[in-house]
Amino acid sequence: NPIAAIYNFIYNGKVYNYQCGMDVHLHRDVSPGLLLQGFCIQESISKGMREYDFFAGNQLYKRRWTKISRELVSIRISSEAMKMKAVRRVDVVRAALKRWRGHTQLN
């Protein structure tokens, strides 16, 4: 039976780690997923890939490989009315953040 799996995409000299997993019934000290991830990173380096991207999330296994991260931002706009609602919401959030920053700097 398989005990670990990994699903990566390769595009433009980069490896994108889309999904991975392991058998949840294994003992906690056994980490075939971590070993498989290491093998994929090693293979990516040997193939001349420029980057191995873990995608979104801050899971422990990702932090074991790197402390560098990028913020993932997702925006979806579907109509002019939605655009205007989004602009108004951004203004409300921006004002709230300014108030919060001012409050935290006073304390």
Side-chain angles (χ1 to χ4, degrees), residues 41-85:
I41 292 169
Q42 184 179 28
E43 187 71 9
S44 299
I45 293 167
S46 73
K47 300 275 188 206
M49 296 293 131
R50 295 188 331 266
E51 186 174 331
Y52 191 93
D53 191 327
F54 285 104
F55 272 165
N58 192 24
Q59 291 84 358
L60 176 60
Y61 78 91
K62 294 177 183 182
R63 292 192 314 267
R64 287 181 174 169
W65 292 108
T66 184
K67 298 201 182 329
I68 300 169
S69 66
R70 292 184 287 240
E71 182 179 358
L72 179 66
V73 177
S74 178
I75 299 173
R76 179 179 175 192
I77 298 175
S78 60
S79 71
E80 289 298 319
M82 290 299 290
K83 286 181 189 178
M84 291 310 298
K85 285 181 184 178

Side-chain angles (χ1 to χ4, degrees), residues 4 8 10 15 25 28 35 38 50-51 56 61 64 66 69-71 79 85 89 95 98-99 101 103:
N8 291 336
I10 299 173
V15 178
H25 297 101
R28 275 186 109 170
L35 291 172
R50 295 188 331 266
E51 186 174 331
Y61 78 91
R64 287 181 174 169
T66 184
S69 66
R70 292 184 287 240
E71 182 179 358
S79 71
K85 285 181 184 178
R89 301 249 170 146
K98 283 182 183 178
R99 285 192 306 272
R101 268 193 233 133
H103 174 72

Side-chain angles (χ1 to χ4, degrees), residues 20 87 97 100:
C20 57
V87 168
L97 285 172
W100 178 76

